[in-house]
Amino acid sequence: MVNYSDEEGLNCSYTYHLRQDKNGFIWIGSDNGLFRFDGKEFKQYGKKEGLKNIDIISCEPLPNGEVFILPFLNDFAYLKNGRVINLNINEYVKNQFSSSIPKVTRDGNRLYLYGNLNPQNIFIYENGKVKKIPIPLEYGKRYFATLRFEPHTYNLYLHDPHQEDILVYNIITGKKQHLKAGTGSMICEKDDLFVFLNKNTIEVYQLSAPSGIKKISSYDCSPQENVFYGLIDKNNKLWLNISNGGVLYFNQSLTVKKRNLGTPIKILERYVINNVLVDKDDNVWFNSRNNGVFSSQNPFLPIISICL
């Protein structure tokens, strides 16, 4: 396990989301700008490089070489040919993301940005320009958490945790479909998989015909395992971030349907981990709340070797 921090050039207190681009570079959002790691050195992008806001929660590397930047206060920008270009769209989005960072769906070089709760519009970013698609949906007094948007079908997935209901709404045709699902809050999603936290139970659902969606597995957390975030990695394996320290790793693909998830392995329990990235070579990257970034080379041989 390698720990990258101030001494290696990662001079920040908090690190947030991790991303990898098509060339293998690792991108790290932090409270002191955006960092790019090439395997040897960190390149920092901050106010000197043109960022209006250096509290960077995340970024989205695109196939055309651009890197879309998501700061905490939504002073959106993008990197192109090593230069920061700020997007003056705060008036345009009318503070629809003022309470949280937007959810993002990537489709090639196009990004779709939308709110986490009762979204009003979907904003489309492509080649330095932004346009919007209104969502003509009356929410009434119900509060829907946004699960995801599918750009190829124009289906928007919204979750009402109190009604145990997922609303699938087509923003073009207005067609609605209701799927029965669990209560609680969504932890993460990927492709046709949704992971919810229902009290102290992790529940994994999968979209399937003809019922629409079904629960395929679950895991009962202990009282000490207060899950606040999660990730389904590129191998469809589940990682759960624990608020009092550590990450739970389930060494099985969620697509292999089992009634109960196997016993997880707890990793880095002395550190609060904000995000996990499994890169193209199956190396695992962990970014911590105030202890930099940890990286393990080929950790699955064996995984127990990184349980610090």
Side-chain angles (χ1 to χ4, degrees):
M1 181 73 74
V2 180
N3 181 210
Y4 300 102
S5 57
D6 235 10
E7 293 181 3
E8 291 75 28
L10 186 61
N11 57 326
C12 58
S13 297
Y14 277 52
T15 57
Y16 302 109
H17 284 195
L18 293 154
R19 295 290 186 265
Q20 185 177 34
D21 66 22
K22 65 178 182 178
N23 297 315
F25 295 131
I26 302 296
W27 295 84
I28 304 164
S30 82
D31 63 349
N32 193 26
L34 181 68
F35 289 84
R36 189 196 73 176
F37 185 55
D38 62 7
K40 294 182 179 179
E41 296 179 336
F42 287 92
K43 164 66 177 175
Q44 183 179 12
Y45 297 88
K47 284 191 178 294
K48 186 174 70 173
E49 288 70 31
L51 282 178
K52 290 183 178 179
N53 179 1
I54 61 170
D55 205 3
I56 307 300
I57 302 299
S58 187
C59 71
E60 292 292 337
L62 301 175
N64 62 8
E66 291 182 5
V67 179
F68 188 84
I69 303 171
L70 293 102
F72 181 67
L73 295 178
N74 298 318
D75 292 314
F76 299 112
Y78 65 98
L79 270 170
K80 187 172 183 178
N81 298 323
R83 188 166 66 96
V84 173
I85 302 171
N86 289 286
L87 289 166
N88 297 316
I89 61 172
N90 275 354
E91 274 302 312
Y92 187 61
V93 301
K94 296 182 179 179
N95 295 320
Q96 291 187 48
F97 306 136
S98 59
S99 60
S100 64
I101 294 297
K103 295 182 72 67
V104 180
T105 297
R106 184 169 67 83
D107 181 24
N109 290 313
R110 182 177 292 178
L111 294 176
Y112 297 83
L113 294 82
Y114 42 97
N116 290 270
L117 185 69
N118 287 12
Q120 303 296 319
N121 297 283
I122 293 176
F123 295 89
I124 304 172
Y125 167 82
E126 187 173 19
N127 296 323
K129 297 181 180 180
V130 178
K131 62 181 180 179
K132 71 176 179 180
I133 304 176
I135 300 174
L137 181 61
E138 294 293 333
Y139 295 103
K141 295 183 179 180
R142 298 176 70 181
Y143 290 93
F144 288 90
T146 311
L147 300 183
R148 74 152 171 257
F149 173 69
E150 293 179 346
H152 298 292
T153 63
Y154 285 91
N155 283 335
L156 179 67
Y157 287 76
L158 302 166
H159 182 225
D160 185 343
H162 302 293
Q163 299 293 326
E164 302 185 26
D165 179 61
I166 291 177
L167 171 62
V168 184
Y169 177 74
N170 189 285
I171 66 172
I172 302 298
T173 66
K175 181 181 177 181
K176 298 179 182 179
Q177 182 183 7
H178 292 269
L179 309 177
K180 296 301 293 183
T183 58
S185 58
M186 189 180 75
I187 294 297
C188 55
E189 55 88 16
K190 177 178 178 283
D191 300 331
D192 61 348
L193 296 166
F194 296 94
V195 179
F196 294 97
L197 177 62
N198 183 4
K199 296 181 180 177
N200 286 326
T201 301
I202 295 293
E203 298 177 340
V204 182
Y205 285 80
Q206 185 173 36
L207 296 175
S208 62
S211 61
I213 193 169
K214 65 178 180 179
K215 185 165 70 172
I216 58 173
S217 56
S218 62
Y219 169 74
D220 291 326
C221 300
S222 73
Q224 293 77 33
E225 294 170 349
N226 185 12
V227 177
F228 72 92
Y229 192 69
L231 168 83
I232 304 171
D233 69 23
K234 69 184 186 69
N235 302 309
N236 292 317
K237 296 182 179 182
L238 180 63
W239 302 78
L240 300 176
N241 303 57
I242 308 302
S243 61
N244 61 347
V247 178
L248 299 181
Y249 166 64
F250 296 84
N251 191 16
Q252 64 191 75
S253 172
L254 296 180
T255 58
V256 179
K257 301 177 184 63
K258 293 184 178 180
R259 187 171 181 179
N260 293 309
L261 291 170
T263 303
I265 298 167
K266 194 169 187 179
I267 302 167
L268 292 169
E269 59 185 302
R270 289 183 290 161
Y271 306 92
V272 177
I273 303 300
N274 287 327
N275 194 221
V276 179
L277 169 71
V278 179
D279 70 18
K280 297 174 182 178
D281 299 314
D282 279 333
N283 303 312
V284 186
W285 301 76
F286 308 85
N287 60 349
S288 68
R289 184 159 296 176
N290 50 22
N291 289 278
V293 171
F294 295 88
S295 173
S296 179
Q297 306 296 312
N298 299 318
F300 303 110
L301 300 173
I303 187 74
I304 197 68
S305 66
I306 64 170
C307 300
L308 301 183

